[in-house]
Amino acid sequence: MRNFLAIFERELKSYFLSPVAYVVLGFFLVATGLFYYNIINWFDRISMQSMMMAQQYRQLPQPINVNMMAIRPLFHNIAIIGLFLVPGITMRLFAEEKRQGTMELLATSPLSNWQITLGKFTAALVFYLVMLLATGVFVGLLFFFGNPEVMPILTGYLGLLLVGGCFISLGLLFSAFTENQIIAFVGAFAVNLAILSLGWLANFVGPNLAAFFSSLSPIEHFDDFAKGIVDTKHLVYYISFMFGGIFLTYVTVESSRWRGAR
């Protein structure tokens, strides 16, 4: 546990000392803010139209669900923005160690490969959590427009964290493949894009194939979380996805250590 915490603290500190991490965080907040602005504008127009119709027909205005009309679309956009930016968080985790030659020092240290892999994964996940918490300002402002339900917001953030964990496990794997951060970024980005395309492909194929494609996409599994539903099948999917990415990373690091020992 002490070795795991040592790697975790080292990686987490390096995030807050790295300008790249702040650039990723800045892009994330700017992109989220733009989507938030557009959603609020649309939400405001719908609310005004509802009030005008109610006045015209002398009826009470139709209640508008803030969670469904504003928060769910915002969460879906945050999930997709994270898909494109998470490779920027993970690209340096192993690639930079290899480039600087410090990977050999780690390989000869008492640290196990599981401790190294899990420490780096957890640090990236915590940094991603900080990014998500920063968007809480946008969600908090929505309480001025209505009375959102709190539980779907909490489950939505849980879903976003799980989606991010899947992308981080993939980015970690690609970073372990190479010593070039750009290659690690592009590889993880391309696979994330392919995963996102699975959800789109489901719209153009038969029902059986559509269900299969949808079952593979982390974004498709997120929808229930945004509705306030925590289904165990989605939890099993996300945990299995993350474990698969972490395990393959461990195998890659173990293989590198074995080759270096020959």
Side-chain angles (χ1 to χ4, degrees):
M1 191 65 182
R2 185 184 300 172
N3 291 340
F4 162 79
L5 289 175
I7 290 291
F8 168 73
E9 290 175 7
R10 171 176 174 264
E11 294 298 332
L12 193 59
K13 283 180 183 175
S14 69
Y15 274 121
F16 291 99
L17 295 175
S18 166
V20 175
Y22 287 102
V23 170
V24 171
L25 178 60
F27 269 112
F28 181 73
L29 291 179
V30 169
T32 304
L34 288 174
F35 279 107
Y36 174 79
Y37 176 77
N38 288 328
I39 289 170
I40 290 302
N41 268 345
W42 175 77
F43 181 78
D44 190 48
R45 285 201 303 273
I46 296 293
S47 301
M48 290 296 293
Q49 288 173 3
S50 176
M51 291 181 64
M52 290 172 66
M53 289 181 63
Q55 289 176 353
Q56 183 178 357
Y57 295 106
R58 297 185 178 180
Q59 297 174 343
L60 290 174
Q62 292 291 322
I64 297 178
N65 190 313
V66 182
N67 289 82
M68 186 176 70
M69 303 290 282
I71 296 177
R72 277 176 59 187
L74 179 65
F75 279 170
H76 275 279
N77 284 306
I78 291 175
I80 293 175
I81 293 167
L83 180 151
F84 292 110
L85 292 182
V86 163
I89 301 174
T90 58
M91 63 182 184
R92 52 164 290 280
L93 287 172
F94 280 105
E96 184 67 5
E97 301 272 15
K98 291 183 176 181
R99 191 186 68 80
Q100 293 185 344
T102 51
M103 196 64 207
E104 286 76 9
L105 295 176
L106 282 179
T108 55
S109 70
L111 298 169
S112 72
N113 289 332
W114 274 118
Q115 291 166 341
I116 296 170
T117 304
L118 287 175
K120 288 177 177 289
F121 171 82
T122 309
L125 190 64
V126 169
F127 183 76
Y128 180 72
L129 177 61
V130 171
M131 291 168 60
L132 289 181
L133 292 177
T135 66
V137 176
F138 300 132
V139 176
L141 289 173
L142 290 174
F143 281 84
F144 289 104
F145 292 89
N147 188 24
E149 297 175 58
V150 174
M151 189 53 68
I153 295 175
L154 296 178
T155 58
Y157 272 114
L158 173 62
L160 288 173
L161 186 63
L162 292 170
V163 172
C166 293
F167 296 140
I168 288 170
S169 69
L170 270 179
L172 192 69
L173 175 62
F174 276 91
S175 184
F177 283 150
T178 178
E179 63 180 32
N180 188 315
Q181 293 190 42
I182 302 300
I183 294 175
F185 178 89
V186 172
F189 181 86
V191 172
N192 288 350
L193 195 60
I195 289 174
L196 179 64
S197 302
L198 291 174
W200 293 336
L201 284 175
N203 298 319
F204 304 102
V205 295
N208 292 334
L209 206 53
F212 174 71
F213 282 150
S214 295
S215 69
L216 296 178
S217 172
I219 300 295
E220 299 300 319
H221 284 271
F222 171 71
D223 195 45
D224 277 349
F225 285 92
K227 294 176 183 172
I229 301 169
V230 179
D231 194 320
T232 51
K233 70 179 181 184
H234 301 312
L235 290 174
V236 169
Y237 168 83
Y238 284 127
I239 292 171
S240 301
F241 194 118
M242 283 186 275
F243 177 78
I246 293 169
F247 178 73
L248 290 175
T249 304
Y250 162 78
V251 170
T252 304
V253 175
E254 184 75 15
S255 173
S256 300
R257 175 178 279 190
W258 181 79
R259 288 198 304 271
R262 292 182 66 185

